[in-house]
């Protein structure tokens, strides 16, 4: 690690990456390689002697990039976005440069303290209640992903209850969500040992726009209590993965409070939109929540990974997740003068992730970040209008943020043929390499998802994408 | 994300980071700030308007770096190392530049396939049995940390057994380790719901150099079975955190095999040494293991995080960790033609971490990596010899790798005063800012740990560190 060699080589890498962005529109968005393609291109073992950087960069260009699905392409509309930005990238560089492991305050006080400060900043931007600030009994923490966020709060909720009722009651614990809740909750339940038959996946439907019905939650909880079970946790979502449904936080929160169960709000994607006053109302009721999560790495220009989690009662997390081995003991921790984030998360080690979020907030400023969100939502609205002008298509659920759910209507409007033709249309457009979109199923309908959110996407990309969809639809319809 | 702006700003950041490395020896190794220092230096909220990069860099220099504990300093000897290297840093840059989220094969085939290939490379370098290669029923996966590695294999083991005996038997499951096993296992047990009273922490002691005794394991398992309990998991360690103890894998593996329980080997730190033929014998017996883990981010020049985990039976992991929501379904996954690493780990999202490991192996080559390890071990040996020449000190446990465990002997050799003076010596040397070392406790003795492993450490740093220790010891002894 010679400073001058680092300088020379890293400058080369900067140019390589800048050129990648310059040419990003020339790649197929969705990689078109076949399974096992790379095995044929690389040797079976590591080299004995060093190889030049240029050889590696040539291999990245010739062998790796063809196997990359380009999430940063302006023509990427699949899943939800995973933003990269100059500020986020610089933050990643700096974090990798310092390369410290901030498990305890003492192992880099700045890492812990900047994380607390920056999550307070973001909490204030989102107008979260004061109980989520680090100045009280709660606070924010950066997790890797929303999956880890829901897992750690579920553990906190589980252990809060088991401490009271005894650990043999694990089989009686019940967790509530809707059929639109992210699969991360199911996985978290598997991990912490909540029995599958005690995971209440409440049905949502088109009548309530796929939001969770407070009445159904109330009824489920009440009936579980009657049956001798112990409700512990409700996960509500603001902006579901399939269709950006928004669960009614205020009503749900009042129910969870009346039963004394943990209320978690997953706003992984749509949380970013709530930095704009006109979208903030989607998280009205968050005052009632015990924990709130949004992914700055999705739609807030912060490179992956950066999932912001706030809790009102940090001690619940710490009781579930702390260990205190001798080799990590130190004065500041023993005196309870500091936060040790190792006790707020699954892993011990942790990166200096607050740097990139701090740099995003400072180098762009709130005004620009709001414009960024508004622009994507306007682009999605434009796409929705284009669909509405073509009678062969329909918008399936009302657009709230930057995701449009739509489908092609086949000549014979039965569900089976509609599902088949949309499945085929998805394949056809993704195979062109020109755009990448993904799908979901709602009430048995196969639906196409068009999620605007890549930083480079402009109006021309929306217009071209729509043209690709129309052309492939025409080809499919004419082949029927 | 304009390519030319990215280029310009990232070049600035490269120079900032290269200058950091040039000046790294001028900082106090252990940050000397007080808790809450940063709060006083930063505003309470994010800016509305953008700020210039130079202002942010100035703040990093003036406000952040004083709060950083410099893990990359050549004078960092605490815990275990967390290596940064040019190759590792370039890999981080490239991964942050591409910024894709590789949860399924289709979301970037190159990310999944390069990970499989590079972990096969590393498995061959370590001479792991073929069952750990991706070409069979097993394979490697990069986890964030060894904590996550042990958690996922414990889940696999738990669910293997619960599928057979029923999930209500959770309270009967027993996990085995020694009192030297990393606290990550205890945390994993808490998370997956193994009852604390069923975590057998077997006593190790100085007679067997703090290695786990196969006989004690055998007896514990046998007695648990007699008591109607169900043994499921043994975690052995090669290179314990306190003192680099090495558990006897071969004997332990034979025992776990005879009882049919999962055998995990944690070689988080010492695994890197096993790339050298002369140290490979420390993992003899790994053939018997069900899973093996080493952290390339500790001592193999790969920036944090990169924890390599291999399993023989990937289906056990997948059964414990898979979810299959509609919105992630795709042809390649449905046809079982590919690996989807989301089912091998806790989170859904994942970074392109194999790039940095690939670049480390290629840009350095095996020969240089072996020399790198040998150099650190030679430096540790030199430090050990320096201690041996000063009768005021003693080496406490035999050095195997690059960690030296030692202590100052007080004039009155009772344990209490020995513990106190070593505690004070630790404080004194770390307060100088010249070096950073950490401590542990073995058989009631407070012991100083001197872990060589920072890439920049040279002989002169060892000599100076020893001088700091001697000087502070003299001052302490004369003040008694």
């Amino acid at each position: 690690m010679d400073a001058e060699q680092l300088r020379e080589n890293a400058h080369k890498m900067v140019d390589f990456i800048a050129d990648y962005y310059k040419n990003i529109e020339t790649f197929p968005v969705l990689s078109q390689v076949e399974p096992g393609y790379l095995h044929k291109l690389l040797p079976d073992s590591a080299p004995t002697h060093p190889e030049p950087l240029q050889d590696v960069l040539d291999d990245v260009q010739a062998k790796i990039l063809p196997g990359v699905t380009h999430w940063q392409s302006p023509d990427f509309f699949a899943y939800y976005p995973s933003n990269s930005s100059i500020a986020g990238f610089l933050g990643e560089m700096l974090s990798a440069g310092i390369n410290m492991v901030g498990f305890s305050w003492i192992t880099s006080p700045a890492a812990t303290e900047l994380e607390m400060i920056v999550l307070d900043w973001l909490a204030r931007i989102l107008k979260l209640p004061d109980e989520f600030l680090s100045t009280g009994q709660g606070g924010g923490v950066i997790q890797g992903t929303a999956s880890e966020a829901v897992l750690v709060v579920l553990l906190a909720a589980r252990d809060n209850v088991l401490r009271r009722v005894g650990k043999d009651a694990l089989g009686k614990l019940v967790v509530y969500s809707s059929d639109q809740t992210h699969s991360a909750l199911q996985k978290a339940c598997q991990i912490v040992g909540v029995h599958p038959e005690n995971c209440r996946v409440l049905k949502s439907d088109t009548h309530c726009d796929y939001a969770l019905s407070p009445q159904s939650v109330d009824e489920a909880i009440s009936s579980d209590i009657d049956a001798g079970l112990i409700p512990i946790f409700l996960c509500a979502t603001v902006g579901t993965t399939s269709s950006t449904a928004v669960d009614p936080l205020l009503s749900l929160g009042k129910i969870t409070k009346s039963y004394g169960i943990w209320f978690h709000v997953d706003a992984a994607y749509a949380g970013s939109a709530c930095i704009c006053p006109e979208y903030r109302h989607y998280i009205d009721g968050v005052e009632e929540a015990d924990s709130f999560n949004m992914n700055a790495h999705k739609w807030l220009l912060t490179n992956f990974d950066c999932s912001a989690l706030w809790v009102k009662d940090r001690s619940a997390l710490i009781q579930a997740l702390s260990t205190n081995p001798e080799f990590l003991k130190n004065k500041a921790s023993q005196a309870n003068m500091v936060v040790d984030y190792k006790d707020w998360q699954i892993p011990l080690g942790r990166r200096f992730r607050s740097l990139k979020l701090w740099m995003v907030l400072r180098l762009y400023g709130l005004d620009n970040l709001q414009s960024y969100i508004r622009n994507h939502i306007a682009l999605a609205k434009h796409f929705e209008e284009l669909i509405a002008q073509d009678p062969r298509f329909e918008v399936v659920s009302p657009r709230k943020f930057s995701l449009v759910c739509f489908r092609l209507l086949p000549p014979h409007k039965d569900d089976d043929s509609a599902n088949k033709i949309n499945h085929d249309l998805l394949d056809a457009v993704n195979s062109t390499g020109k755009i990448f979109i993904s799908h979901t199923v709602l009430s048995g309908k196969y639906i196409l998802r068009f999620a605007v959110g890549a930083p480079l996407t402009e109006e021309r990309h929306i217009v071209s994408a729509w043209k690709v969809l129309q052309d492939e639809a025409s080809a499919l319809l004419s082949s029927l």
Side-chain angles (χ1 to χ4, degrees), chain A residues 103-105 155 159 314-330 333-334 336 338-349:
Chain A
F103 44 80
S104 304
W105 178 86
L155 278 165
D159 287 1
R314 68 172 83 163
S315 74
L317 267 191
I318 293 170
Q319 286 183 78
L321 292 164
S322 76
T323 54
N324 190 22
E326 181 62 41
F327 53 84
L328 298 183
K329 286 183 182 163
N330 65 86
S333 300
Q334 298 301 103
N336 269 320
V338 294
V339 162
D340 288 328
Y341 274 130
K342 70 180 176 63
D343 298 334
W344 298 49
Q345 63 174 20
I346 303 296
L348 174 58

Side-chain angles (χ1 to χ4, degrees), chain A residues 438-460:
Chain A
S438 60
H439 81 283
T440 191
V441 171
L442 286 172
S443 307
K445 287 184 192 168
Y446 192 98
I447 286 162
L448 304 180
R449 293 173 74 268
F450 187 87
V452 181
L456 291 170
T457 302
E458 301 171 15
E459 183 156 340
R460 67 184 167 94

Side-chain angles (χ1 to χ4, degrees), chain A residues 362-470:
Chain A
R362 291 190 64 183
L363 294 179
Y364 299 130
L366 180 56
D367 272 2
N368 281 329
L369 291 170
Q370 289 172 338
S371 306
Y372 173 76
I373 295 287
R374 287 173 183 140
N375 179 49
H376 281 150
I377 294 180
L379 292 176
K381 189 160 177 282
H382 183 57
F383 184 78
E384 193 183 28
E385 287 159 1
L386 292 171
I387 294 174
Q389 290 162 21
D390 187 333
R392 299 175 303 171
F393 287 86
E394 70 168 3
V395 173
V396 176
S397 70
R399 184 197 48 75
K400 289 189 193 69
F401 305 101
S402 68
L403 173 73
V404 182
C405 291
F406 67 106
R407 62 173 188 164
L408 179 61
L409 297 166
H412 310 291
K413 298 191 178 181
D414 63 297
D415 273 353
D416 280 356
S417 62
N419 287 355
K420 183 171 182 326
I421 201 169
N422 280 286
H423 185 280
D424 292 347
L425 179 58
L426 182 87
D427 257 9
V429 298
N430 288 343
S431 299
T432 64
K434 291 178 190 165
I435 62 172
F436 179 30
I437 62 173
S438 60
H439 81 283
T440 191
V441 171
L442 286 172
S443 307
K445 287 184 192 168
Y446 192 98
I447 286 162
L448 304 180
R449 293 173 74 268
F450 187 87
V452 181
L456 291 170
T457 302
E458 301 171 15
E459 183 156 340
R460 67 184 167 94
H461 302 105
I462 304 296
V463 174
S464 312
W466 176 236
K467 180 87 174 41
V468 172
L469 276 155
Q470 282 187 310

Side-chain angles (χ1 to χ4, degrees), chain A residues 91-114:
Chain A
E92 283 280 9
M93 283 179 72
L94 188 56
S95 167
I98 295 175
N99 200 51
M100 61 89 235
V101 189
F103 44 80
S104 304
W105 178 86
I106 198 178
T107 67
S108 259
T112 297
E113 297 198 9
L114 188 63

